Amino acid sequence: MRYEKGHKETTRQHIIDVASREFREGGVAAVGIAGIMSKAGLTNGAFYVHFDSKEDLVRAVLSDALEQRARGLAGNLERHQSLKDSIRDYLSTRHRDHAGSGCPTAALVAEIARHPAQTQDLFAGNVERIVILIAARLRGGTNAERRRKAMAIYGMMVGALQMARAVGDAKFSGEILENALAGAMSLAGED
Amino acid sequence: MRYEKGHKETTRQHIIDVASREFREGGVAAVGIAGIMSKAGLTNGAFYVHFDSKEDLVRAVLSDALEQRARGLAGNLERHQSLKDSIRDYLSTRHRDHAGSGCPTAALVAEIARHPAQTQDLFAGNVERIVILIAARLRGGTNAERRRKAMAIYGMMVGALQMARAVGDAKFSGEILENALAGAMSLAGED
DNA sequence: TGTACATCAGTGAACGCGCGTTCACTGATGTAC
DNA sequence: TGTACATCAGTGAACGCGCGTTCACTGATGTAC
């Protein structure tokens, strides 16, 4: 079988998409290559046609997922979605219950802390980008003050979403999301 | 060899202490039982004299580590440490660089989200406890408002510490910690 | 136009390894008689 | 007091299994002549 131009790149992206979901749902350490390839409709061996190693895939997945997230947020803000609505989406039960398609930072930040410097740098660049996007939507104060608030707000979003996912009890979980939203808006200086 | 009274309980606690550090440093999924037992100065087989399974150990570790943390915070507050100083300790470079002896929530929250309900309930009880401790130190507003703020602050602490650990770059990491501290104090209504 | 060879994404079996778990055994001490 | 047996935390080899990775091979298509 010989394939049309671009086929290899399409397959590579498909593997990244599947792995991206699996990693966010199950964690990098607990998800294996055989499982990813099987879910992608391929066999074990084809993996190394596309990636050098599992760590190479992790970097490709992070790069892709973080990029998509930042683009999504930028797009929403350009389409005049309010910062509050963006944060509300982030701290929603829907986002909480769909980690596989959700924020890669919330799903993988603890694991990224244990990965090589190259992987961490990739992550850092994305955090910077998100902070700038949030800061640009804040009103009042100096640039430095808006940057400070943006970091605090982003940290709260990531921490609260993770806790909401980990407590199990739906009522308590919902309370965490609501209270973090109120806290974020209070910091942002809106209602 | 027959052992003095309490020996088994001492050994069990020693295994928990070792596993607690290893899990927080490396993550539950990436740390094996053979490694834990070897670091505890014992062999493989002895593990099942003390625990039914790895999940049983995970619960024992979480229960122990979360309990210790909550007690530590309660003790500091009773000894009249200010809330600000407690949060400053939490968002310190020292805490960031010593995950093994640090907050189990920040280290393991993402993994707890993937563990059984029994494990999640254990975690939820501890979050509730910490929130109450923080809320009791807040001034002004109704009880409900203080609870809201306490949850937002705790979420921010956990999220910011994790991001500070994952970005690699020390300068950026320090900036995240400082800005989260400022955000938390702003929410708490102090300086 | 027909034949021989090159290309290369994907196959599927196998590699060594460490995982969580099991189990027959050890041996120092306690208890029974 | 001396002997026989029970106790049980810990040993260390082994279990089946899935991990990440390697590799000889396939086979449809493209290119050369």
Side-chain angles (χ1 to χ4, degrees):
Chain A
M1 43 188 129
R2 194 97 181 270
Y3 306 89
E4 66 272 29
K5 201 166 175 287
H7 170 89
K8 190 181 177 183
E9 189 46 46
T10 304
T11 301
R12 183 187 149 93
Q13 187 57 47
H14 179 55
I15 296 169
I16 289 174
D17 290 345
V18 170
S20 193
R21 168 169 293 274
E22 294 291 306
F23 283 164
R24 279 180 276 186
E25 274 172 7
V28 172
V31 168
I33 284 165
I36 291 166
M37 292 306 280
S38 151
K39 281 211 168 75
L42 294 162
T43 53
N44 272 348
F47 178 82
Y48 293 90
V49 171
H50 299 281
F51 304 96
D52 290 342
S53 64
K54 189 183 182 185
E55 190 61 35
D56 186 25
L57 172 66
V58 169
R59 266 193 290 278
V61 162
L62 273 179
S63 174
D64 186 83
L66 292 168
E67 172 72 21
Q68 261 182 256
R69 266 270 140 190
R71 267 161 131 69
L73 176 58
N76 284 343
L77 293 176
E78 267 161 33
R79 260 175 266 108
H80 306 298
Q81 184 184 43
S82 69
L83 181 62
K84 176 161 189 174
D85 283 347
S86 285
I87 298 177
R88 202 199 300 283
D89 282 353
Y90 194 98
L91 294 170
S92 65
T93 54
R94 167 158 243 292
H95 189 190
R96 177 195 67 194
D97 298 336
H98 295 82
S101 56
C103 174
T105 297
L108 303 174
V109 62
E111 282 192 292
I112 294 168
R114 299 166 190 134
H115 277 263
Q118 199 185 339
T119 309
Q120 296 192 358
D121 291 345
L122 200 68
F123 174 70
N126 186 263
V127 171
E128 174 69 22
R129 200 165 152 190
I130 302 270
V131 165
I132 287 169
L133 283 170
I134 296 174
R137 285 279 147 168
L138 295 175
R139 296 286 150 248
T142 62
N143 277 344
E145 279 162 3
R146 284 195 291 275
R147 180 175 173 83
R148 246 179 253 142
K149 281 188 184 173
M151 278 199 184
I153 289 170
Y154 189 40
M156 191 193 294
M157 290 163 66
V158 169
L161 181 63
Q162 287 185 93
M163 296 209 309
R165 281 177 178 157
V167 294
D169 181 71
K171 185 155 166 282
F172 190 33
S173 174
E175 196 194 353
I176 292 170
L177 294 177
E178 282 166 28
N179 291 349
L181 177 60
M185 294 327 294
S186 161
L187 263 183
E190 299 182 28
D191 52 357
Chain B
M1 45 188 128
R2 195 97 181 269
Y3 306 89
E4 67 274 29
K5 201 166 174 286
H7 170 90
K8 190 180 176 184
E9 190 45 48
T10 304
T11 302
R12 183 187 149 93
Q13 188 57 48
H14 179 54
I15 296 168
I16 289 174
D17 290 345
V18 171
S20 193
R21 169 169 292 275
E22 294 291 306
F23 284 164
R24 280 180 275 186
E25 274 173 7
V28 172
V31 168
I33 283 166
I36 291 166
M37 293 306 280
S38 149
K39 281 212 168 77
L42 294 162
T43 53
N44 273 348
F47 179 81
Y48 293 89
V49 172
H50 299 280
F51 304 96
D52 290 342
S53 63
K54 189 182 182 185
E55 189 63 34
D56 186 25
L57 172 65
V58 169
R59 265 193 291 277
V61 162
L62 273 179
S63 174
D64 185 85
L66 293 169
E67 172 71 21
Q68 262 181 253
R69 265 272 140 187
R71 267 161 132 68
L73 176 57
N76 284 343
L77 294 176
E78 267 162 31
R79 260 175 267 107
H80 306 298
Q81 184 184 43
S82 69
L83 181 61
K84 177 162 188 176
D85 283 346
S86 286
I87 298 176
R88 202 199 299 283
D89 282 352
Y90 193 99
L91 294 171
S92 65
T93 53
R94 167 158 243 291
H95 190 190
R96 177 195 66 195
D97 298 337
H98 295 81
S101 56
C103 175
T105 298
L108 304 174
V109 62
E111 281 190 292
I112 294 168
R114 300 167 190 133
H115 277 263
Q118 198 185 340
T119 309
Q120 296 190 358
D121 291 345
L122 200 69
F123 174 71
N126 185 264
V127 172
E128 174 68 21
R129 200 165 151 190
I130 302 269
V131 164
I132 288 170
L133 283 170
I134 296 174
R137 285 280 148 166
L138 295 175
R139 297 286 150 245
T142 64
N143 278 345
E145 280 161 2
R146 285 195 291 273
R147 180 175 173 83
R148 248 179 252 141
K149 281 187 185 177
M151 279 199 182
I153 290 170
Y154 190 39
M156 191 192 295
M157 289 162 68
V158 170
L161 181 64
Q162 288 185 97
M163 296 210 308
R165 280 177 178 156
V167 295
D169 181 73
K171 185 156 166 281
F172 189 34
S173 175
E175 195 193 352
I176 292 170
L177 294 176
E178 282 167 28
N179 291 350
L181 177 59
M185 293 327 294
S186 162
L187 263 181
E190 299 184 25
D191 54 355

